[in-house]
Amino acid sequence: MEGVYGNDFGTDQQPDPDRAAPDEAAFAALLAGEGRVEPRDDMPEAYRKTLIRQIAQHAHSEIIGMQPEGNWISRAPSLRRKAILMAKVQDEAGHGLYLYAAAETLGVDRADLVDQLHSGRQKYSSIFNYPTLTWADVGAIGWLVDGAAITNQVPLCRCSYGPYARAMVRVCKEESFHQRQGFEILYTLSHGTPEQKAMAQDAVNRYWWPSLMMFGPPDDDSPNSARSMAWGIKRFSNDDLRQRFVDMTVPQSEALGLGLPDPEIRWNDERGHYDYGEIDFTELFEVIKGNGPCNAERMAHKRRAYDEGAWVRTAAEAYAAKRARATESVA
Amino acid sequence: MSTRRDWPLWEVFVRARRGLSHVHAGSLHAPDAEMALRNARDLYTRRGEGVSIWVVKASDIEASTPDERDPFFDPAADKIYRHPTFYDVPEGVQHL
Ligand SMILES: [Fe+2]
Ligand SMILES: [Fe+2]
């Protein structure tokens, strides 16, 4: 399974037997030459289905991902922090929209994808099913969750599917401020009062392991990874990306003056990487199954926001129709 | 099938600064052209990426098909004399 923003282990889609088989050899040759696949190209049905599922899940994650941080906009400790947080959450909405647009180039409707999210048939990243208990959590999300997302997303800028890769280029440009603002929040708290520092440490303790799980299951338990790699959708394995994230993050935690909740983290001279402890994936599976702390709340809020906005969409449509009629009658 | 119809799809073209062409930035859904422009501003120019935006209904775009990609562009393939490198220039001749 792909370890993207939404790394969850959805069931694999079966190829559609009604679709004419494309020229597999030509497709393989295109990928072998690092060529890019564009929307109306012939492509294997399984490639198209995999992309739709992955991009949709990624889009849903950006949209649901607004909730944990959105909870703190009205309670941000200063006007500066509030303005920054609003800009960040607005960016995430934008990321969701870029991604829905990319998915639509594969012949699906955004409305259908949103329906599938609302009915639970498509998933979003489990990381957003954890609560934001304190202001420091906003810092931990920016630093760790956006940091892990960036690690996943940078290689996707070279994804074989053009529209997805282009959306990722835009997303990655915008992400760098997300991670920095989170780091800055934690740095400020860590250099504040003992209580503030303890709050920062607590947030890091709670978000560290879930952030590592964002990269998906270990490589030997990730049956579809090889195929995604062959297709040029995925460029590095889950464990490689996870290691890259750990290697970047450990020195940053030292700069923050905060510990990481894993006694096994230490530099391994032989490997040239940081070692880290074993991840308890049973927790991740529980959260994916719907038993995380906030699964029900996130979905209820999403559906409510959607339903409460219905009148705006209807009004805008009615206005557009009225204007179109007026223009017609003039012409 | 979806329980509702989505707003029409618009393609967005952004001019990054004066002196450059509009370039395709992406697409979005909007009920009409005016809303499409406003949404495009919020979606594609949050960091001053543009000084001008075009929106075009996706359904109004006519495109060459990927199937005929090769035959359609064939006429250009064998006219290498359209490129300056086709011509022999005697040694020492400059500014040509
Ligand atoms: Fe994002
Ligand atoms: Fe982000």
Side-chain angles (χ1 to χ4, degrees), chain B residues 4-5 11-12 17 24 27 30 32 37 54 57 61 64 72 83-84 95:
Chain B
R4 74 179 171 91
R5 210 166 29 84
E11 298 299 333
V12 179
R17 54 173 199 277
H24 185 239
S27 48
D32 58 29
L37 272 177
W54 291 344
K57 252 193 197 156
I61 292 178
S64 59
F72 189 72
H83 299 279
H95 309 299

Side-chain angles (χ1 to χ4, degrees), chain A residues 40-41 87 90-91 93-95 97-98 101 104 109-112 114-115 170 173-174 177-178 306 312-313 316-317 319-320 323, chain B residues 1-7 9 24-29 31-32 34-35 42-47 49 63-67 69:
Chain A
R40 295 183 309 153
D41 287 347
Q90 192 187 4
D91 273 353
H95 298 174
L97 293 179
Y98 306 151
E104 286 196 309
D109 290 336
R110 181 180 67 175
D112 284 330
V114 172
D115 277 352
R170 192 173 280 279
K173 268 188 205 156
E174 300 184 354
F177 116 71
H178 297 182
Y306 184 80
V312 178
R313 294 190 294 274
E317 236 162 58
Y319 181 70
R323 290 252 303 224
Chain B
M1 227 31 256
S2 163
T3 49
R4 74 179 171 91
R5 210 166 29 84
D6 214 326
W7 290 333
L9 189 68
H24 185 239
S27 48
L28 52 77
H29 289 276
D32 58 29
E34 192 185 332
M35 286 301 289
D42 292 344
L43 190 54
Y44 291 107
T45 63
R46 283 197 302 285
R47 288 168 174 77
E49 294 95 332
S64 59
T65 73
D67 300 346
R69 151 176 65 188

Side-chain angles (χ1 to χ4, degrees), chain A residues 5 58 62 88 91-93 95-96 146 149 153 171 175 178:
Chain A
Y5 219 154
H58 196 161
E62 302 281 356
K88 198 233 181 217
D91 273 353
E92 305 302 1
H95 298 174
D146 287 80
Q153 286 167 343
V171 165
E175 285 292 348
H178 297 182

Side-chain angles (χ1 to χ4, degrees), chain A residues 127 130 137 140-141 143-145 147-148 200-215 242-253 256 258-266 274-279 283:
Chain A
I127 192 73
Y130 291 90
D137 288 13
I141 288 180
W143 178 45
L144 295 174
V145 175
Q201 185 63 62
D202 171 62
V204 170
N205 290 350
R206 281 182 290 108
Y207 272 95
W208 173 250
W209 291 106
S211 299
L212 290 189
M213 293 182 210
M214 286 175 67
F215 295 93
R242 190 162 18 238
Q243 182 69 62
R244 187 177 295 185
F245 175 70
V246 170
D247 290 347
M248 276 185 337
T249 311
V250 173
Q252 291 172 2
S253 73
L256 283 173
L258 296 173
L260 295 171
D262 178 358
E264 291 181 46
I265 289 182
R266 71 179 58 85
Y274 283 94
D275 290 338
Y276 57 96
E278 205 175 317
I279 300 171
E283 177 187 319

